[in-house]
């Protein structure tokens, strides 16, 4: 950021602010892990009316943490107020899937959340707004929000697949007995769901191609990364919150400050690799100059194309399920 922009606080809106993910995320934002150690931040915490008191308690704790960079906190149940002048937004709050609920019903319920939030962003956010949707089903929730954000470029809306990327790095590092930092050129394609495709085709360890057993790759690695969230719920008894918050930090930090290598982000497709233009899907990306750019020029095998297509087909079906919200 320029010196002039550093003198002004970055206004950051976090929805679902009383929830577990936000409880980890807000402290990282306030400490400077996202926008830089010399950039002041102002937080807007958005919650539903029934949870605003809990969010006020979160705000009290943030204040008690005495962060030098934190120069203001607003707690509200008004989307218009929360997104007014926002430079960045983490859309964390979403309706969870209830017992027996069909995915189409879940998408419709969340559409009633993310449509109005997108509208508020379009009407009130700053011109440089950057949005990452964390609440699931994240890809299609981001699509809905982007559709309702009048005059905001669709590329300003992304969905969190950095958690899938980080899970893939962790599993591969354990397999190779190396450090996560030794790995590069890992990608996760498609939807943040069980159909996603964690791809090791181009992966490198310490600059050399990764060589793993094919059966481990297809029978263990891919399904374990894709279903890691369910595994954590089974073991921990609740969903992954801290790791999701950490991934959201990684995603926005790279978007704002840039990155050196590949990372996965769910971005608006430009038609690359056969992914329908306009869908928000996971790609290998590089962040530079305040933009996420899809890595171009990769030669895909039939195996890769089949896996990608299976996940893209699910994204198409989700888009169709919420067609009345995109009309």
């Amino acid at each position: 950021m320029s010196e002039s922009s550093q003198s002004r606080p970055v206004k950051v809106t976090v929805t679902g602010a009383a929830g577990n993910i936000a409880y980890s995320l807000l402290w990282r934002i306030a400490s400077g892990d996202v926008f830089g150690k010399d950039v002041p931040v102002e937080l807007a915490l958005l919650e539903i009316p029934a949870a605003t008191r809990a969010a006020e308690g979160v705000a009290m704790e943030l204040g008690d943490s005495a962060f030098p960079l934190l120069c203001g906190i607003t707690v509200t149940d008004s989307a218009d107020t929360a997104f007014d002048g926002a430079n960045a937004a983490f859309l964390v709050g979403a309706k969870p899937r209830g017992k027996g609920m069909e995915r189409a019903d879940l998408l419709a319920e969340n559409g009633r959340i993310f449509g109005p939030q997108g509208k508020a962003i379009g009407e009130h956010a700053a011109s440089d707004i950057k949005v990452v949707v964390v609440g699931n089903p994240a890809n299609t929730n981001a699509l809905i929000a982007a559709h309702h954000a009048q005059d905001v470029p669709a590329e300003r809306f992304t969905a969190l697949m950095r958690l899938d990327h980080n899970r893939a790095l962790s599993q591969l590092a354990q397999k190779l007995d190396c450090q996560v930092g030794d790995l590069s050129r890992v990608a996760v394609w498609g939807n943040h769901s069980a159909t996603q495709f964690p791809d090791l085709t181009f992966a490198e360890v310490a600059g050399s191609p990764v060589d793993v057993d094919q059966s481990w790759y297809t029978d263990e690695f891919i399904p374990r990364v894709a279903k890691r969230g369910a595994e954590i719920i089974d073991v921990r008894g609740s969903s992954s919150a801290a790791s999701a918050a950490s991934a959201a930090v990684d995603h926005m930090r790279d978007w704002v400050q840039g990155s050196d290598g590949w990372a996965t982000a769910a971005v608006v497709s430009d038609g690359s690799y056969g992914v329908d233009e306009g869908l928000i899907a996971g790609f290998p990306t590089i962040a530079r100059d305040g933009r996420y750019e899809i890595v171009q020029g990769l030669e895909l095998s039939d195996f890769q194309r089949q896996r990608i297509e299976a996940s893209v087909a699910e994204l198409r079906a989700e888009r169709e399920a919420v067609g009345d919200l995109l009309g």
Side-chain angles (χ1 to χ4, degrees), residues 99-113:
K99 185 176 182 180
M101 180 181 282
E102 296 294 333
R103 192 171 180 85
D105 296 330
L106 177 66
L107 288 162
E109 289 287 339
N110 276 291
R112 287 190 273 273
I113 297 172

Side-chain angles (χ1 to χ4, degrees), residues 22-33 58-59 61-62 65 67:
Y23 198 68
S24 293
L25 174 63
L26 287 162
W27 269 255
R28 298 285 302 277
I29 296 170
S31 69
D33 287 351
V58 173
E61 282 201 83
L62 283 163
S65 299
F67 289 109

Side-chain angles (χ1 to χ4, degrees), residues 14 16 31 42 51 58 60 81 91 97 114 119 166-167 185 194 197 199 212 242 252 271 285 287 292 299 305 314:
V14 177
S31 69
E42 177 184 347
V58 173
M60 291 168 66
T81 299
L91 306 190
R97 190 169 187 169
F114 288 88
K119 183 174 184 290
N166 290 349
R167 287 167 170 168
R185 294 169 65 88
F197 172 40
D199 187 2
V212 294
M252 187 65 78
T285 63
Y292 268 115
E299 294 188 12
R305 291 187 183 279
E314 183 181 53

Side-chain angles (χ1 to χ4, degrees), residues 40-62:
V41 294
E42 177 184 347
L43 292 172
L45 312 187
L46 178 63
E47 259 298 357
I48 59 174
T52 52
R53 183 168 174 79
E56 287 168 358
V58 173
M60 291 168 66
E61 282 201 83
L62 283 163

Side-chain angles (χ1 to χ4, degrees), residues 188-200:
V188 184
W189 304 81
N191 200 6
H192 176 63
S193 74
T195 69
Q196 66 178 251
F197 172 40
D199 187 2
L200 299 183

Side-chain angles (χ1 to χ4, degrees), residues 78-146:
S78 166
D80 290 349
T81 299
F83 292 111
D84 186 31
N87 308 107
F90 296 81
L91 306 190
V92 179
K95 182 177 178 62
R97 190 169 187 169
K99 185 176 182 180
M101 180 181 282
E102 296 294 333
R103 192 171 180 85
D105 296 330
L106 177 66
L107 288 162
E109 289 287 339
N110 276 291
R112 287 190 273 273
I113 297 172
F114 288 88
Q117 288 183 0
K119 183 174 184 290
I121 289 168
E123 293 177 349
H124 300 286
S127 60
D128 63 347
I129 182 69
K130 291 179 171 64
V131 180
V132 56
V133 175
V134 180
N136 289 318
N139 298 56
T140 298
N141 286 342
L143 186 70
I144 293 167

